[in-house]
Amino acid sequence: MFPTPIEKTPRSWQLTYQSLLPLALIMWLLPLIAVAIFSIKPASDFTQGNYWGMPSSFELFANYGQVFFNSDMPRYMLNSVFITVPTVIGAVALSCLAGFALGVYKFKSNIWIFFMFVAGNFVPFQILMVPVRDLTLDMGLYNTKTGLVLFHVAFQTGFCTLFMRNFIRALPYELIEAARVEGIAEWKIFWYVVIPLMKPAIAALSVLIFTFIWNDYFWAVVLTQGPESQPVTAGITSFNAQFRAAYHLMSAGSIVAALPPVLMFFLMQRHFIAGLTLGAVK
Amino acid sequence: MTDTPAQQVAAPQRSWYKRNEIAVTPWLFLAPAILFFAFYVIWPIYQSIAISFYDWDGLGEAQYVGMANYVELMDDSAFEVSLWNNLKWLLFYLLAIPGGLFIALFLNQTVTGIRIYKSLFFFPFVLSQVVVGLVFSWFYLPNEGLLNGVLGLVGLGPVNVLGDPTMATYGIIAAGLWPQTAYCMILYLTGLNAVDPEQIEAGRLDNAKGWKMLWYIIIPQLKPATFIAFVVTIIGALRSFDLISIMTNGGPFGQTRVLSFYMFEKALSEYGFRMGYGAAIAVVLFLIMLVFIAYFLWSMWSEEKRR
């Protein structure tokens, strides 16, 4: 293990390390801690210039109540859910199919199709912006959740296919060959042999894509406007315009908007990190 | 199992699909993904390149202007600023890699509660860039911001990071580094977990310590993690849009624009809908990215061949 395990170091460094850890963490999360404190302060603290002192009263319920019952926030959150969940299902489904095809079969254009997905996944959004916006307008899907979902599914399929294909490549190929010898149809091999083995990959990808799509801002601005279809990332800017300079409310709003992916991360941490670090180890 | 006569007769007349199953199946499985991807990603790239040769407001008739959009870019000082800022982003964003490695080394211990520390250090990556942008713009506020509160304690004057044309871009990059460093950290933590303990022992026997050990024994073994860290950091640097849009909206005096933001501004904002000109900017950004994409694909390809 590197660096030297702390148990094997001098007592003095052990103590320093133990006290350094919480300090470093507080420094690292300082901007966030500040926002969390902002969100429980009363409005009067800001007008009186008490930005960094203790909150003069504890207003957690009042501030968050305001966000939940007196703004468009719940609406934006719901929109985000209706955009994110179908995208996760769509992109994971498409990429399971494509990843299976690219991971199991040998045919000439295999690597080129794979590279097309990889390259497309790295492309800057801006080169797609004008045509995709036009396409969406032409299909009558501008400012709808469907329009956003369809695009997200297509774009995320690039990354997901890369992920799934590499995962399937690492599975023991003998299993598939054995199934073929038994004369099992190819789609049955996919459904009964490969899919059950892919469960960890499906879980990891779902959590990742959920976070990516929930946090998307660019496409939300390009393809939607207004509370009827905008997700929370775009909605938070209108929310902030509504409560300009009311830092306690803006902070509470931001925390609410950030919460679902944060919860997802802490609940599904193992899958999340397994997904992010796939390929980081040989 | 014995074959019945009926099966023996049926065998040569299996359906076309049955006979070609191995060749056809991959295409059936690929079809939906390829269709979606071609429709929403591949085709639009071609269209954008085509649009960049037109003068078009997005509604009326498009007018073919040849290279005129690109010629105009050459003299556009805002374009030049954006290009320089993109370079700054690329360079300074890479700090996330050594930063992430440093934190990973710091946290790669087995004291009690270290798992919670690791996940809390990683936590900023899960936040959306919009929230990161908001959090940091409040952090930087000239009077109310925590940064100036802390600076005030050590007797340094108040700075208006986002209001200062020379400082603003660095301020935004610093905000971007926060989640990106967290990402690199988690990559390295996973990599460090897989470092071969025997090589470390061998290194210790050869008296390799500290930096030498890190440089000659640990870092070479972290190569796969470093490669991924490079890929995601470069892509992230060139994609920077959300933070700029939230924190400064391109200002002050347009000094924090980057290509991706300037393109959006030209094509879709209140300054008018110049789709052709915007597409030309996007093409330039795409070409820059293409250099990196080609390199990434090349590395992946040589990796595949070695298997």
Side-chain angles (χ1 to χ4, degrees), chain A residues 2 17 28 51-52 121 127, chain B residues 48 106 108 121 144 178 239:
Chain A
F2 184 85
Y17 184 77
W28 183 243
Y51 293 105
W52 301 114
N121 158 56
I127 192 113
Chain B
S48 266
F106 179 64
N108 193 32
F121 265 92
E144 308 88 325
W178 193 45
R239 278 209 180 139

Side-chain angles (χ1 to χ4, degrees), chain A residues 1-2 6 17 28 32 51-52 121 123 126-127 134 139 154 165 186 215 247 265 269 276-277 282, chain B residues 21 37 40 48 56 106 108-109 119 121-123 126 128 141 144 146 178 190 239 260 303-304:
Chain A
M1 206 170 149
F2 184 85
I6 207 82
Y17 184 77
W28 183 243
L32 210 60
Y51 293 105
W52 301 114
N121 158 56
V123 144
Q126 281 69 18
I127 192 113
D134 248 36
M139 292 190 291
R165 181 261 194 194
E186 296 295 310
N215 289 344
Y247 289 113
F265 164 65
Q269 208 179 129
L276 271 184
T277 54
K282 277 282 149 61
Chain B
E21 194 177 9
F37 207 65
Y40 267 118
S48 266
W56 186 39
F106 179 64
N108 193 32
Q109 295 290 353
S119 34
F121 265 92
F122 177 67
F123 173 52
V126 189
S128 85
L141 280 175
E144 308 88 325
L146 184 57
W178 193 45
T190 314
R239 278 209 180 139
S260 59
E303 192 76 8
E304 288 284 319

Side-chain angles (χ1 to χ4, degrees), chain B residues 225-268:
Chain B
T226 309
F227 177 71
I228 297 185
F230 254 99
V231 174
V232 293
T233 306
I234 285 171
I235 302 287
L238 288 174
R239 278 209 180 139
S240 50
F241 171 89
D242 302 4
L243 287 175
I244 297 163
S245 167
I246 295 291
M247 292 174 77
T248 59
N249 208 16
F253 315 115
Q255 290 300 309
T256 53
R257 287 183 184 125
V258 292
L259 290 180
S260 59
F261 185 80
Y262 187 45
M263 182 273 164
F264 178 82
E265 210 176 63
K266 276 291 170 192
L268 272 192

Side-chain angles (χ1 to χ4, degrees), chain A residues 156-179:
Chain A
Q156 295 303 326
T157 297
F159 171 71
C160 296
T161 302
L162 161 72
F163 189 96
M164 287 300 190
R165 181 261 194 194
N166 285 347
F167 189 85
I168 292 175
R169 268 284 151 99
L171 295 176
Y173 190 69
E174 299 79 43
L175 273 176
I176 292 156
E177 278 182 328

Side-chain angles (χ1 to χ4, degrees), chain B residues 35-296:
Chain B
L35 282 178
F36 257 76
F37 207 65
F39 184 71
Y40 267 118
V41 182
I42 307 298
W43 177 242
I45 294 176
Y46 163 77
Q47 277 183 309
S48 266
I49 297 172
I51 292 170
S52 74
F53 299 112
Y54 285 85
D55 185 21
W56 186 39
D57 63 0
L59 296 167
E61 203 58 29
Q63 179 124 35
Y64 182 77
V65 291
M67 296 297 286
N69 285 326
Y70 292 95
V71 174
E72 193 183 334
L73 277 182
M74 302 282 222
D75 284 326
D76 185 344
S77 62
F79 174 74
E80 204 186 317
V81 169
S82 312
L83 208 56
W84 275 113
N85 280 338
N86 259 120
L87 198 68
K88 284 182 201 162
W89 268 90
L90 266 179
L91 269 178
F92 289 98
Y93 219 46
L94 286 177
L95 286 176
I97 297 175
L101 177 61
F102 177 78
I103 299 179
L105 288 172
F106 179 64
L107 292 179
N108 193 32
Q109 295 290 353
T110 43
V111 295
T112 39
I114 196 73
R115 285 196 48 183
I116 299 164
Y117 277 108
K118 284 178 187 170
S119 34
L120 285 173
F121 265 92
F122 177 67
F123 173 52
F125 178 76
V126 189
L127 301 175
S128 85
Q129 299 252 301
V130 174
V131 174
V132 172
L134 288 170
V135 167
F136 267 82
S137 51
W138 298 331
F139 183 69
Y140 288 145
L141 280 175
N143 302 311
E144 308 88 325
L146 184 57
L147 178 69
N148 282 317
V150 174
L151 285 180
L153 286 182
V154 287
L156 288 170
V159 281
N160 184 1
V161 178
L162 297 179
D164 182 330
T166 53
M167 247 194 299
T169 290
Y170 298 107
I172 303 173
I173 296 175
L177 277 174
W178 193 45
Q180 192 66 29
T181 306
Y183 190 178
C184 295
M185 175 205 80
I186 209 79
L187 287 172
Y188 279 125
L189 273 176
T190 314
L192 281 171
N193 241 335
V195 163
D196 180 10
E198 280 179 25
Q199 285 196 39
I200 297 179
E201 276 320 304
R204 291 225 166 95
L205 287 180
D206 284 341
N207 242 342
K209 272 198 205 113
W211 290 110
K212 266 200 170 146
M213 175 80 107
L214 180 66
W215 187 253
Y216 290 107
I217 294 171
I218 306 298
I219 290 186
Q221 291 192 64
L222 293 175
K223 211 178 144 208
T226 309
F227 177 71
I228 297 185
F230 254 99
V231 174
V232 293
T233 306
I234 285 171
I235 302 287
L238 288 174
R239 278 209 180 139
S240 50
F241 171 89
D242 302 4
L243 287 175
I244 297 163
S245 167
I246 295 291
M247 292 174 77
T248 59
N249 208 16
F253 315 115
Q255 290 300 309
T256 53
R257 287 183 184 125
V258 292
L259 290 180
S260 59
F261 185 80
Y262 187 45
M263 182 273 164
F264 178 82
E265 210 176 63
K266 276 291 170 192
L268 272 192
S269 76
E270 60 261 47
Y271 303 109
F273 281 35
R274 293 192 64 195
M275 300 289 182
Y277 196 59
I281 301 169
V283 169
V284 174
L285 181 63
F286 177 64
L287 291 178
I288 297 172
M289 198 82 109
L290 211 53
V291 177
F292 292 107
I293 295 177
Y295 169 69
F296 298 151

